[in-house]
Amino acid sequence: MSNRTGTLKPFCRPLPNTMAVPKSSDKNLSLTHGQQYGSNPALSQLSGRLQLSNSNGNLSPDSVTPVSQEFTESDALLPRKLSGSRPKDAEGSGGHEESMCSLLRQILLPFLLAGLGTVSAGILLEIVQGWDVFQEFTELFILVPAVLGMKGNLEMTLAARLSTAVNAGRMDSTREKWMLIVGNLALKQLQATVLGLLASLVVTLLDWIAEGRMPLNHLVLLCSTSLCAAFMASLLQGIVMVGVIIGSKRMGINPDNIATLMAACFGDLFTLALLVCFSQWCYSLMELYPYVLYLVDLLHICLIPVWMRVASKHPESHILLRSGWEPIITAMVISSVGRLILDKTVSDENLVGIVVYAPVINGVGGNLVSIQASRISTHLHLNYSPREIPDSHKSCFNLCHTFVGTGSNQRSARVLLLLVLPGQLIFLHIIHLMKGGLTLPSPLFIVFFLSISLIQVFSLLCIADWMVHCLWQRSKDPDSYSIPYLTALGDLLGTALLSLSFLLLWCIGDPGGV
């Protein structure tokens, strides 16, 4: 009889060829083309999946659970620490080291395009504000920023989640890739429908409180416009974002550097254009065929169970069906405070010029901080288990640690901060040209504007470094939680600082940016 001592003898038999398990000697797994930031997660799970069939250490092929099946059905619920050696420094990327020049090349063009999209959205709103539908249904001016902010959060969180999935190697399998894509797109359609309906109801309530009345046809038009614009923009932009993510992977570009910026580039202008078109369409049907608007609202509401069913097919999106509402709804509340500050400032005719510059400072701050949040989140997914954070973040938070160091996150923070001044100067010049070149911001206003932009982005980058690690320590996925909070805080901080600057310039008699 064999000697049973309670410990298993190491087995020496080679693994059968039929088992889909990587060899234990493959310490450095080869990476597919374009995947420079992650490694195969199956190796780190190998020890827990091999079951010995008897006490002699013999391995039975029937006793081994298929790696791909168990990984896709259970391990995708929470982020995982991947196999391979951990980076030497606490903030290293754990893979391909990106230089500051490489980061700048990847970020610069999408950053400029995103800024142009924000400026163009402001110009478009200025053009259509004289249309009959905007004159008769003035509630649309309150609905526009609510829908734009909501859509921006949905697009950026989708971009961050898919970027992390690409870097973690979870989109190498065709089946897993399309399950992940379809689940996230269905989740985004559900969120866009619910939040579009919620935004229209909130706007209706605010207008009822202010005016003391709300005609039924106003409510129907707001709901139809919001639902149609949010639904169509979410669908088309979601497809575009999937193409951007897959294309960046094939080209060997880190999607964390460009995905959120491309979402912002397409987001504001495209969503506003759809909102304007659907509002005019609903306005044209209001008198002759009002029942069509009721049918449109009913159709979108009936599609909600369909999106829930599809989204629940994938474990990750199934979890977000329950936990993904808190950050985007909270972000809407925080952004509302910023809009309240802006409304109070605009009510003073001496400070009306702030309307032109508020979208620029808020857009730039939100775009830059979303890149950093996405990169830190990917770093944690690739190198640490849930609730496990780097040693540098276990003690009191140090502001200097966000920018000082040799890690990839510190390098990206420095690059993003360096982009603020030249980027804002370019956008100020574009605003000057789009206004016909008739007015020129005063030198003192330019100094104030650049200073508050630096303060805003510096503060947001520090908050992002702290917030993402805190969310990870509490087993919350930063890709879904951090970006809505950070963009909402960026709107609040940027609007407050810009209002203060205009007030100071008015007090000293400077013409400012008007």
Side-chain angles (χ1 to χ4, degrees), residues 466-510:
W466 166 79
M467 180 181 292
V468 171
H469 286 92
C470 285
L471 290 171
W472 183 263
Q473 195 173 22
R474 288 164 174 77
S475 293
K476 295 182 181 294
D477 188 1
D479 285 329
S480 299
Y481 278 80
S482 62
I483 291 179
Y485 289 134
L486 291 170
T487 54
L489 288 174
D491 291 348
L492 178 60
L493 184 60
T495 303
L497 290 174
L498 189 61
S499 301
L500 180 61
S501 298
F502 266 81
L503 183 60
L504 291 176
L505 290 171
W506 177 76
C507 290
I508 63 178
D510 191 273

Side-chain angles (χ1 to χ4, degrees), residues 178-488:
W178 288 111
M179 283 185 61
L180 185 67
I181 290 174
V182 172
N184 276 277
L185 289 181
L187 174 67
K188 195 161 75 73
Q189 290 302 111
L190 171 64
Q191 292 175 330
T193 302
V194 174
L195 293 179
L197 180 61
L198 180 62
S200 62
L201 294 178
V202 170
V203 169
T204 301
L205 178 62
L206 292 176
D207 191 72
W208 178 75
I209 294 175
E211 301 293 334
R213 64 182 184 86
M214 171 53 66
L216 181 60
N217 61 338
H218 285 225
L219 173 60
V220 174
L221 183 136
L222 287 176
C223 289
S224 302
T225 301
S226 179
L227 285 173
C228 291
F231 176 86
M232 189 59 64
S234 179
L235 179 62
L236 297 180
Q237 290 175 231
I239 295 174
V240 171
M241 286 313 306
V242 170
V244 170
I245 296 291
I246 296 177
S248 63
K249 175 189 175 184
R250 293 180 177 178
M251 296 175 62
I253 299 175
N254 186 356
D256 280 320
N257 294 336
I258 66 171
T260 54
L261 287 179
M262 296 306 294
C265 174
F266 293 111
D268 288 350
L269 181 60
F270 191 60
T271 304
L272 180 60
L274 287 174
L275 194 75
V276 169
C277 293
F278 279 116
S279 64
Q280 186 65 33
W281 176 71
C282 294
Y283 180 70
S284 63
L285 295 175
M286 180 63 65
E287 294 294 334
L288 299 177
Y289 309 103
Y291 62 89
V292 175
L293 301 184
Y294 291 95
L295 293 177
V296 168
D297 295 341
L298 181 61
L299 175 62
H300 284 94
I301 294 175
C302 291
L303 285 175
I304 290 179
V306 177
W307 304 130
M308 293 180 63
R309 177 68 176 175
V310 176
S312 62
K313 295 293 185 180
H314 193 273
E316 181 178 327
S317 55
H318 180 73
I319 292 177
L320 293 175
L321 282 175
R322 299 189 304 270
S323 61
W325 300 98
E326 174 191 337
I328 51 180
I329 294 178
T330 305
M332 289 181 63
V333 175
I334 297 175
S335 297
S336 299
V337 179
R339 289 196 295 271
L340 180 61
I341 296 175
L342 183 61
D343 291 340
K344 294 296 183 181
T345 306
V346 173
S347 62
D348 189 338
E349 61 181 9
N350 296 313
L351 307 179
V352 70
I354 192 175
V355 176
V356 180
Y357 300 98
V360 178
I361 189 171
N362 294 339
V364 168
N367 294 340
L368 293 178
V369 74
S370 64
I371 297 176
Q372 185 70 355
S374 181
R375 289 179 58 89
I376 298 175
S377 176
T378 297
H379 166 71
L380 293 174
H381 278 82
L382 293 178
N383 297 282
Y384 297 93
S385 301
R387 296 184 178 274
E388 180 187 6
I389 59 175
D391 295 335
S392 57
H393 288 77
K394 292 180 179 178
S395 56
C396 295
F397 178 72
N398 186 357
L399 292 178
C400 296
H401 182 75
T402 303
F403 302 94
V404 180
T406 58
S408 62
N409 292 335
Q410 286 93 342
R411 284 196 298 272
S412 62
R414 293 194 293 267
V415 169
L416 296 175
L417 194 62
L418 289 174
L419 284 174
V420 175
L421 294 183
Q424 292 290 27
L425 286 174
I426 292 174
F427 300 142
L428 285 176
H429 184 63
I430 293 174
I431 292 175
H432 168 63
L433 295 178
M434 287 186 171
K435 293 173 68 175
L438 302 177
T439 59
L440 183 66
S442 67
L444 188 57
F445 169 78
I446 295 176
V447 172
F448 271 55
F449 188 81
L450 296 179
S451 299
I452 63 176
S453 297
L454 276 176
I455 294 173
Q456 179 207 33
V457 175
F458 179 87
S459 302
L460 289 175
L461 291 175
C462 293
I463 295 173
D465 191 20
W466 166 79
M467 180 181 292
V468 171
H469 286 92
C470 285
L471 290 171
W472 183 263
Q473 195 173 22
R474 288 164 174 77
S475 293
K476 295 182 181 294
D477 188 1
D479 285 329
S480 299
Y481 278 80
S482 62
I483 291 179
Y485 289 134
L486 291 170
T487 54

